[in-house]
Amino acid sequence: MFEFIRNHQLNIMLALCAMSALMGILLLITRFLPKRRKWILIAMEVIATLLLGFDRAAYIYSGNRGAAGYIIVRLANFMVFFLTSGIVFTFNLYLIDLLERIGEYRKPRRLNLVAIACIIEMLMVVANIFTGLYFYFDEENFYHRGNGFLLCYIVPVIAPLIQFSVIQKYKKSFSRYIYIALCLYIFVPIIVGIIQIFTYGISIVNMAMVLVSVSLYMFSYLDINEEVQRTHKKEMLNLKEEREGMKNLFEQTVTSFTSAVEQRNHLWKGKSLKVAEIARKIAEKSGMTENECEEVYYAALLHDAGFVTLPDSLLDKEVFTEDEEKIIHNIPRLSSEILSGIKEFPYLSETALYCSELYDGRGYPEGLKGEQIPVMARIIAVADAYVKAIFKTKTRNSVPMAVVREEFVKEAGGKFDPVFSNIMVQLLDAGDAGPVEEENYTVETELSCEDYRSNVSVGIPILQSEICVTFKASLQDSDGKNGFFSAPSIILFDSFDRRVHTDEQLIEDYRYIEYGELWFDGHSISTNVRNMEVQVSEKNESDNLYKITAGRYEDHIVLTLESGKKMVKAIIALPDISRSIYIGLTGEHCKLENIQIDFTAKFLEEKDIPRIADQITFINRIEADIPNVQINSTLSAYTEGISLKNQTSVAFHTMSFPDSSFVWHCPYIVLFYSEDGKVGGKNYREYALVKLNGEDNGSNDYAENHFVMKKDSAFKSWEVWKECNKAGLECEIEFQRQGNSITMTTYNLGIHIENTTLLHNAPKEVYVALTGDQCALTDIRIR
């Protein structure tokens, strides 16, 4: 390498001189550096350029005995030695400027010593003209080292080490790039200077000085660039914090306004916020951007602003006269007018105007239809309908989730945008849209009953795990002297909210059914059961402790009621296996105290309850290619897996149970893989689940599903759909497989379904199985 430098050093010197001069020019037009530091760097680049330029001239004219050569050789060598100390001195000024910039106004004494040493060294170079201590020239005009040559290395070597000790002291105050540049400026010339002692005839020290001078500018530029980025980042952070502050202020203002509106009716409290939260979830799940979701949130929060104008006489009403309905229908326009003053967010006014429009065109105020309705209004219409259903009113509790879900399934494409309605159903299924207040199913610890059934406890579920209920009863007429009946009793029932109802509308809303009543003396009333057998045995105890033990196996219930005088054992056959059953504690002219509920360790089996009615089965029909299957509850049973070929057809007869309630009480199709071809088998992967009422479970980690459901003129209504399913109908499903793509099509009662499944890692065998909810599948044929 040294030989290469020796052969080309004049060209290298010229290139480095040009580079250093260019850096000086760039520094001259640079505006990003502090003025003093800028001129110090310019001085360093000029000194470095002159240093190398004179060194190059010394080599060119070495041995030239002409008058010009004589002068240039001496002047050039003098300037090389003089400027070497000068560049150390200038670097010292640069270091002092850095320290002052970081707040160190007291200049370290070591730097003063370096400055003095540099000046002395430069004076020694001047003295060398007369003494030849560092260098001299022979008669041929050639340069030679003097006897004191090594003394000229004291300042270039020792001074930078002293400067480095200062750099290390204030290391944490320098940026990363500045610290690297300072270290390079210190150690590269020192290392090269030591090498220079042993490599006579080449000027690698001066070349190194130019390079580190250039690097000082480059690293200064990088440091400033990083500082600009830090400043920009800080400014953006401050701007973000400012925007967050404005956003919080806006949200607080909006929340305060909506709270003021909701204060007019305590039943509205929290409604707007709940609508906003649900609307944002729908927007997020539909793929909207973060900003769009925020807009949906605020539009939903304010969409009912017009209710502030509602007359007090209408606040608590649920049924309106024709004139009152006109007032209600004008609320969206009033909301829009109120919000039109917020010029910065025009979407608030537009959305409020159209939130009461329905997808099928039956809404108000303008009767818009389909995608004529702004997308945010369509989302909020779904969220608002959900919240209205789960909020309590003066006449009812929140609507059961199953009933709410069915409304969104049935009205997808009717009242609601089908996309957003289906997303709402997905939120319900995933448990991401729970009620405003969780239903309190805690059973009371005491109960006072005057007239019979005037007070009934929350329902206590009867499950396959045996349950034990105990309480003490205070009877108002224990000996019958007062002439009225006084005793505790129980009601057996089923209801979505686990409560006993007598109002016809609530009975319909909560699917309430009453099975019967039992007293502790053995009296009983049987209403909606297939059979009930009651046995009574006498006891002779004075204890006022009452005990109920209950359990079930499939459609049979066993109950034991014990008091101090009698033990009553009842076996009940329910209408079907899909029903739930609850115990409601009640009584007449008595007080039930210290009510306690415990589960025993007993898990009932078929042998524990004598059968008093035939086993309910809906599959005692013809069997075809695979066994019939009865599905008593959601996904509780499946057919065998059917291996799909390029073209496969599955036909079957379906019948929903007589007491089935919902549109999804119908067959489902599951597309899957497992090693044994069974649902839930080893290495099970589910690709798709499609319900014949037009629902699907969407895509998952194993497959991408493209689902389409359309209704044609043959579809009469969902009530007709449910009745036809209860009566029984024939279904056929067609499958086509091409590689990793499987297309399923079926048409039933005016509902056309097509689902294309794209498998991510397609196995050789893919299976389909039939399942469902509260339905029986028979005569299953595979072609």
Side-chain angles (χ1 to χ4, degrees):
M1 184 179 70
F2 292 120
E3 192 62 31
F4 176 82
I5 294 173
R6 194 185 307 277
N7 293 334
H8 299 90
Q9 73 171 340
L10 293 179
N11 293 330
I12 294 171
M13 286 179 174
L14 183 62
L16 290 175
C17 281
M19 184 187 299
S20 185
L22 180 61
M23 291 298 110
I25 294 170
L26 291 175
L27 279 165
L28 193 63
I29 61 176
T30 295
R31 296 182 180 182
F32 61 78
L33 286 169
K35 187 174 181 181
R36 182 180 173 188
R37 190 181 306 174
K38 170 182 172 179
W39 286 108
I40 291 172
L41 284 171
I42 289 173
M44 293 174 71
E45 295 297 340
V46 170
I47 292 171
T49 303
L50 292 174
L51 176 64
L52 202 57
F54 280 117
D55 200 10
R56 183 174 184 274
Y59 276 100
I60 292 173
Y61 288 93
S62 179
N64 188 324
R65 297 171 64 184
Y70 183 88
I71 295 171
I72 291 174
V73 167
R74 281 158 179 76
L75 177 62
N77 280 283
F78 169 80
M79 292 302 293
V80 168
F81 279 82
F82 187 86
L83 292 176
T84 299
S85 296
I87 205 163
V88 175
F89 180 82
T90 313
F91 180 74
N92 208 56
L93 294 177
Y94 179 76
L95 190 55
I96 291 169
D97 180 72
L98 286 177
L99 293 174
E100 288 178 353
R101 291 287 176 179
I102 63 175
E104 295 296 331
Y105 297 106
R106 292 181 59 189
K107 183 166 56 177
R109 292 180 179 178
R110 284 167 286 178
L111 297 184
N112 290 334
L113 292 174
V114 170
I116 293 169
C118 289
I119 293 170
I120 292 172
E121 174 64 18
M122 287 187 280
L123 292 174
M124 290 288 289
V125 173
V126 174
N128 179 78
I129 298 172
F130 309 101
T131 62
L133 179 66
Y134 292 158
F135 59 89
Y136 64 91
F137 305 94
D138 60 17
E139 295 83 359
E140 301 296 324
N141 202 24
F142 284 105
Y143 160 88
H144 295 279
R145 292 175 178 177
N147 294 329
F149 172 77
L150 291 179
L151 294 176
C152 72
Y153 276 87
I154 292 175
V155 170
V157 174
I158 302 301
L161 293 176
I162 295 172
Q163 291 169 331
F164 181 70
S165 68
V166 175
I167 292 168
Q168 280 299 102
K169 181 178 179 180
Y170 297 103
K171 175 182 177 180
K172 292 183 179 179
S173 300
F174 298 126
S175 70
R176 176 181 47 153
Y177 288 118
I178 293 297
Y179 179 74
I180 292 171
L182 294 176
C183 290
L184 288 174
Y185 209 96
I186 293 293
F187 289 108
V188 171
I190 290 175
I191 295 168
V192 175
I194 294 171
I195 298 171
Q196 177 77 74
I197 295 171
F198 305 102
T199 54
Y200 186 78
I202 58 175
S203 294
I204 56 176
V205 171
N206 294 335
M207 294 181 191
M209 291 302 298
V210 171
L211 287 173
V212 293
S213 296
V214 171
S215 74
L216 200 62
Y217 167 77
M218 298 302 295
F219 279 105
S220 295
Y221 181 83
L222 290 172
D223 177 62
I224 292 295
N225 187 56
E226 190 175 69
E227 180 63 29
V228 169
Q229 288 180 340
R230 282 198 300 268
T231 303
H232 177 70
K233 187 176 180 180
K234 187 176 180 180
E235 288 176 351
M236 291 303 294
L237 186 62
N238 291 337
L239 181 61
K240 185 177 179 182
E241 289 176 354
E242 186 178 336
R243 289 181 64 185
E244 282 295 321
M246 292 297 293
K247 177 184 169 184
N248 291 337
L249 178 61
F250 177 70
E251 185 166 353
Q252 290 167 12
T253 304
V254 169
T255 304
S256 298
F257 175 75
T258 55
S259 296
V261 175
E262 292 170 353
Q263 286 296 326
R264 303 191 65 208
N265 186 336
H266 71 280
L267 293 174
W268 294 352
K269 189 176 181 181
K271 176 180 176 292
S272 296
L273 180 60
K274 187 66 178 178
V275 173
E277 290 172 348
I278 296 299
R280 177 157 56 186
K281 287 181 179 180
I282 294 172
E284 288 171 349
K285 204 165 179 63
S286 69
M288 287 187 170
T289 66
E290 185 177 347
N291 285 340
E292 289 171 333
C293 292
E294 285 295 304
E295 290 180 356
V296 169
Y297 176 82
Y298 289 117
L301 204 57
L302 287 167
H303 80 285
D304 274 342
F307 273 97
V308 74
T309 66
L310 195 67
D312 292 342
S313 60
L314 301 184
L315 289 177
D316 293 330
K317 294 193 70 173
E318 295 181 26
V319 180
F320 303 101
T321 65
E322 186 176 340
D323 289 338
E324 288 170 343
E325 275 195 356
K326 290 180 181 178
I327 296 174
I328 296 298
H329 287 184
N330 197 42
I331 292 293
R333 294 192 187 278
L334 294 173
S335 299
S336 180
E337 289 173 10
I338 292 170
L339 298 175
S340 64
I342 307 176
K343 304 295 184 184
E344 192 72 20
F345 306 118
Y347 66 86
L348 295 175
S349 176
E350 181 189 53
T351 304
L353 180 61
Y354 298 117
C355 278
S356 296
E357 299 287 0
L358 299 180
Y359 195 77
D360 57 11
R362 292 180 292 127
Y364 59 88
E366 296 182 7
L368 299 185
K369 186 176 182 180
E371 296 193 5
Q372 294 175 336
I373 307 167
V375 65
M376 280 195 280
R378 282 180 269 148
I379 291 173
I380 294 169
V382 171
D384 189 58
Y386 168 71
V387 173
K388 282 178 180 175
I390 65 172
F391 264 65
K392 296 177 182 178
T393 69
K394 287 176 62 178
T395 59
R396 65 159 175 81
N397 289 327
S398 59
V399 177
M401 281 298 126
V403 177
V404 175
R405 185 187 190 280
E406 184 177 51
E407 179 72 4
F408 286 113
V409 172
K410 290 163 65 174
E411 292 296 343
K415 291 180 181 178
F416 310 119
D417 184 306
V419 173
F420 302 131
S421 185
N422 290 338
I423 290 174
M424 188 69 241
V425 170
Q426 292 171 21
L427 291 175
L428 291 172
D429 291 345
D432 292 335
V436 177
E437 296 179 4
E438 290 293 332
E439 292 290 346
N440 184 9
Y441 294 137
T442 304
V443 178
E444 300 85 341
T445 55
E446 63 177 48
L447 203 68
S448 295
C449 307
E450 291 299 326
D451 295 335
Y452 179 55
R453 296 174 61 137
S454 61
N455 203 359
V456 184
S457 73
V458 172
I460 304 166
I462 302 178
L463 306 171
Q464 200 167 353
S465 298
E466 189 176 66
I467 193 170
C468 180
V469 183
T470 58
F471 59 88
K472 291 187 176 181
S474 301
L475 308 181
Q476 296 179 15
D477 190 13
S478 58
D479 54 10
K481 293 181 179 180
N482 294 327
F484 55 79
F485 185 73
S486 179
S489 62
I490 66 170
I491 302 170
L492 300 173
F493 69 95
D494 183 16
S495 174
F496 284 140
D497 66 347
R498 289 169 59 167
R499 295 185 183 277
V500 171
H501 295 289
T502 55
D503 180 83
E504 288 186 10
Q505 185 60 51
L506 296 179
I507 288 173
E508 180 181 348
D509 287 345
Y510 294 101
R511 305 299 196 269
Y512 178 77
I513 182 171
E514 194 166 299
Y515 300 121
E517 300 160 89
L518 281 170
W519 284 261
F520 285 81
D521 62 359
H523 284 84
S524 64
I525 296 176
S526 170
T527 49
N528 287 294
V529 296
R530 290 187 294 145
N531 195 6
M532 177 188 289
E533 291 185 1
V534 180
Q535 297 177 350
V536 182
S537 58
E538 300 293 328
K539 291 175 65 178
N540 190 18
E541 298 175 4
S542 58
D543 194 359
N544 68 341
L545 180 68
Y546 290 77
K547 180 179 179 182
I548 304 169
T549 306
R552 76 178 287 175
Y553 180 79
E554 293 185 350
D555 60 342
H556 273 52
I557 308 298
V558 61
L559 281 157
T560 303
L561 282 63
E562 294 184 62
S563 64
K565 296 179 180 180
K566 293 186 179 181
M567 176 185 289
V568 178
K569 183 176 181 181
I571 298 174
I572 301 167
L574 296 176
D576 62 62
I577 197 171
S578 64
R579 291 287 185 177
S580 297
I581 182 168
Y582 300 95
I583 299 171
L585 302 178
T586 186
E588 188 174 358
H589 301 300
C590 63
K591 183 177 182 179
L592 280 55
E593 301 173 300
N594 195 25
I595 300 171
Q596 295 183 358
I597 301 171
D598 297 296
F599 285 92
T600 69
K602 188 173 182 180
F603 195 77
L604 271 67
E605 300 176 5
E606 185 175 9
K607 61 182 177 62
D608 296 317
I609 307 178
R611 182 164 286 280
I612 60 172
D614 292 337
Q615 189 171 11
I616 299 172
T617 180
F618 298 104
I619 57 174
N620 53 351
R621 299 178 79 252
I622 187 172
E623 281 193 354
D625 296 327
I626 59 175
N628 299 339
V629 63
Q630 179 169 311
I631 305 107
N632 297 315
S633 58
T634 307
L635 307 177
S636 61
Y638 297 83
T639 64
E640 296 175 359
I642 303 165
S643 179
L644 292 181
K645 310 303 179 186
N646 290 340
Q647 286 192 327
T648 303
S649 173
V650 180
F652 57 92
H653 181 273
T654 176
M655 185 183 76
S656 298
F657 292 176
D659 291 326
S660 61
S661 303
F662 297 110
V663 295
W664 57 81
H665 290 161
C666 64
Y668 305 168
I669 301 102
V670 181
L671 205 62
F672 71 97
Y673 166 79
S674 68
E675 291 185 10
D676 59 3
K678 296 179 181 178
V679 174
K682 187 177 180 181
N683 199 21
Y684 179 73
R685 281 171 276 172
E686 185 172 295
Y687 302 122
L689 188 148
V690 174
K691 304 177 183 181
L692 290 195
N693 67 304
E695 295 183 66
D696 79 309
N697 277 17
S699 302
N700 56 34
D701 293 339
Y702 303 117
E704 180 180 334
N705 285 290
H706 300 275
F707 179 82
V708 178
M709 185 271 272
K710 295 179 181 178
K711 300 174 191 171
D712 62 21
S713 58
F715 181 82
K716 303 303 180 184
S717 71
W718 283 110
E719 293 307 314
V720 172
W721 157 270
K722 288 193 282 189
E723 291 305 316
C724 289
N725 272 273
K726 289 179 182 180
L729 68 147
E730 290 292 321
C731 296
E732 185 170 4
I733 308 165
E734 299 284 346
F735 297 91
Q736 286 189 335
R737 181 178 183 184
Q738 292 181 337
N740 69 332
S741 175
I742 300 172
T743 300
M744 182 208 81
T745 56
T746 184
Y747 178 82
N748 303 285
L749 302 175
I751 296 179
H752 176 79
I753 294 173
E754 180 175 309
N755 185 68
T756 300
T757 303
L758 302 177
L759 309 180
H760 292 161
N761 293 298
K764 184 177 179 181
E765 293 287 342
V766 177
Y767 300 92
V768 64
L770 302 179
T771 181
D773 190 358
Q774 295 193 28
C775 62
L777 310 179
T778 57
D779 191 20
I780 304 169
R781 291 145 282 151
I782 305 166
R783 294 192 293 271

